[in-house]
Structures are given as structure tokens and as C-alpha cells.
Amino acid sequence: MCAAILKQLTAVGEVALEPNLANYPGIRLNGGYFSFDKGWGFVTYPNMKKEIKCPHCGEIAYTLRNPLVTVDIIIELDDRGIVLIKRKNPPYGWAIPGGFVDYGESLEQAAVREAREETSLNVKLIKQFHTYSQPERDPRHHTISTVYIAKSSGTPKAQDDATTIGIFKEEELPEVLAFDHKEILREYFRWKRLTKG
């Protein structure tokens, strides 16, 4: 693949596929299939494949549009409640602290980093809670979020893309929460009651 086409592959969530598997036509993979054009292999799923023609050499390449990986961190602050942030950027509203996983970063590293960036708190991860993947959970794009439960102490401060920060008990939660965070917190508090955690 020449450098000119690589410059076009900068959109978030798109992955260029290297020439591969050309000697194995017809291999099936999770309901998709491999096809080949000039030796480039790609997995085809509805609404995922995009063709790009290099303006320099005319080579055809394909990209895949993949969901973006995120983490959310339910921070238990001593016995005072959980930490929520009010978002500075759309979608607006109160939300569980969290964000995108950086390339080369583990989910756990991303959770600790995002908690510190948005709340100024150093957290200790206690449990990987659940993963949420409904395509419409984020109105901007398809994200997959792994939710962690963490403990911390001290005074949180709104930072990064948080305008305000609050500490909430279950009965004090804001009426409107961003993303699918109302569902996540409902399941979290149900789990707390069942486990007496």
C-alpha cells in the first residue's frame, strides 16, 4: 500500500486491511466472507466495508468501520455515594466518568487514566462490572463500553470534559443521564443490593 492511500485512512474507527489470505478464497468468518481485489483481503459485513481508491497509484483498498472501545468507571467515594460528572461536550448531561481507550492501552489502564483526568481522583479498580454494546447507546457513533467499579477517597474536582462534578446516592441520582448510564446505574445498584456490596 503506498503512502498516499494511507493518508486517507485517518477516520476514527476505520482499519486498513493488509494484503492477505489471497490463497484462501471462500473462507467464512463469523457470518462474513473474504473477497479479494488485486490481492487485498477483506471481511464483508453490511455497512462496514468502504472502498478507497489511491489518488497516486490507483490501487483499490478497503477499510472496515469498527465500533470504538470505551470505558466507564463507577467510582464509589467512601460511604458518600458515587461520582458523576456533568459533560462539557455533547451529548450533554450527567454521566459516569469515562472515555475512549487509547491505542496501546489496556482497559484497566484507560479506566484509571479517565477517572483521574475527569475527576482528579486516583482510583483502585475493584471489579469489571459489565460490557455495554447497543449500537445506539452513543448518539455520535457505535461504542462498546466496559464498565468498572472503583473505590477512591478525597474530594473530586471537575476536569477535562467535565463542567461540574457531584456525589450521588441512588435516591439522589439526576433525572437525565447521558448515553445508557441510567440503565448501567440501575443494574449497578441492583447488583449492590443483591451482593450487599
Side-chain angles (χ1 to χ4, degrees):
M1 182 183 292
C2 78
I5 200 165
L6 285 173
K7 289 180 182 176
Q8 293 185 46
L9 304 175
T10 56
V12 173
E14 294 196 349
V15 179
L17 294 159
E18 297 297 329
N20 60 4
L21 301 168
N23 297 324
Y24 304 96
I27 293 176
R28 296 193 63 74
L29 177 68
N30 295 334
Y33 60 88
F34 288 111
S35 296
F36 304 96
D37 183 84
K38 297 184 182 177
W40 288 80
F42 58 90
V43 184
T44 302
Y45 293 99
N47 303 319
M48 284 183 64
K49 182 184 66 159
K50 183 163 103 180
E51 180 179 296
I52 294 180
K53 185 173 184 177
C54 176
H56 177 68
C57 68
E59 177 98 30
I60 300 292
Y62 298 92
T63 64
L64 292 180
R65 224 173 127 209
N66 296 323
L68 304 174
V69 181
T70 65
V71 290
D72 290 305
I73 313 94
I74 300 171
I75 303 171
E76 300 175 343
L77 204 54
D78 302 319
D79 292 325
R80 293 180 283 164
I82 63 164
V83 178
L84 296 179
I85 62 162
K86 198 163 198 181
R87 291 177 51 81
K88 185 187 300 181
N89 302 308
Y92 300 111
W94 288 95
I96 300 166
F100 295 98
V101 178
D102 290 341
Y103 188 83
E105 187 176 48
S106 71
L107 293 173
E108 294 78 11
Q109 290 168 330
V112 170
R113 175 185 54 77
E114 284 289 345
R116 187 173 52 254
E117 286 178 0
E118 293 191 347
T119 71
S120 79
L121 294 171
N122 290 314
V123 301
K124 179 179 180 187
L125 300 180
I126 303 301
K127 175 181 176 59
Q128 187 181 96
F129 185 53
H130 290 301
T131 298
Y132 295 83
S133 62
Q134 286 297 327
E136 66 278 0
R137 67 178 301 273
D138 185 332
R140 301 167 299 176
H141 33 237
H142 183 182
T143 61
I144 296 173
S145 184
T146 298
V147 177
Y148 285 88
I149 298 169
K151 289 192 179 292
S152 189
S153 58
T155 304
K157 296 181 187 78
Q159 299 187 144
D160 198 26
D161 63 348
T163 61
T164 310
I165 203 156
I167 304 168
F168 298 89
K169 301 255 187 197
E170 181 177 12
E171 62 277 7
E172 304 166 338
L173 289 175
E175 187 62 33
V176 178
L177 293 167
F179 310 111
D180 56 354
H181 291 185
K182 185 176 270 195
E183 173 194 351
I184 293 170
L185 290 176
R186 185 169 48 243
E187 292 180 4
Y188 161 75
F189 284 112
R190 183 185 309 130
W191 170 80
K192 290 284 282 183
R193 285 190 294 275
L194 289 172
T195 62
K196 307 275 194 276

